[in-house]
């Protein structure tokens, strides 16, 4: 049985069902209504959503990936 959560798109405010996240890592979702990509970050009380590029670095999957790879040069 897979849990689902309702996520509100920060662009068009459409509510969509997505699989419940298994951890607190932020992830990108694509809105099925407007087709735009946004960030969903699970929190203790539910989840936060951010428009692509507007998330704080610690909540942005891309930014995190860059930070983690940055120590290599
Ligand atoms: Zn949307």
């Amino acid at each position: 049985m897979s849990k689902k959560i309702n996520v509100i798109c920060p662009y068009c405010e459409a509510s969509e069902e997505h699989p419940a996240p298994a951890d607190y890592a932020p992830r990108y979702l694509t809105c099925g209504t407007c087709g735009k990509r946004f960030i969903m970050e699970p929190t203790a009380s539910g989840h936060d959503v951010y428009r692509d590029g507007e998330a704080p670095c610690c909540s942005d999957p891309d930014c995190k990936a860059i930070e983690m790879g940055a120590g290599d040069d």
Side-chain angles (χ1 to χ4, degrees):
M1 187 174 100
S2 60
K3 254 180 90 178
K4 302 258 184 181
I5 56 169
N6 277 313
V7 181
I8 307 285
C9 171
Y11 294 99
C12 69
E13 297 184 355
S15 176
E16 260 203 314
E17 270 200 342
H18 290 277
D23 54 41
Y24 287 112
R27 66 213 58 213
Y28 284 113
L29 298 176
T30 301
C31 176
T33 301
C34 69
K36 288 183 173 157
R37 191 175 75 152
F38 60 94
I39 293 159
M40 186 276 289
E41 182 182 32
T43 65
S45 57
H47 61 269
D48 290 328
V49 292
Y50 301 98
R51 296 181 188 205
D52 196 7
E54 290 186 357
C57 204
C58 63
S59 300
D60 186 325
D62 276 358
C63 194
K64 239 177 192 172
I66 291 164
E67 266 186 1
M68 277 192 275
D72 214 36
D73 67 352

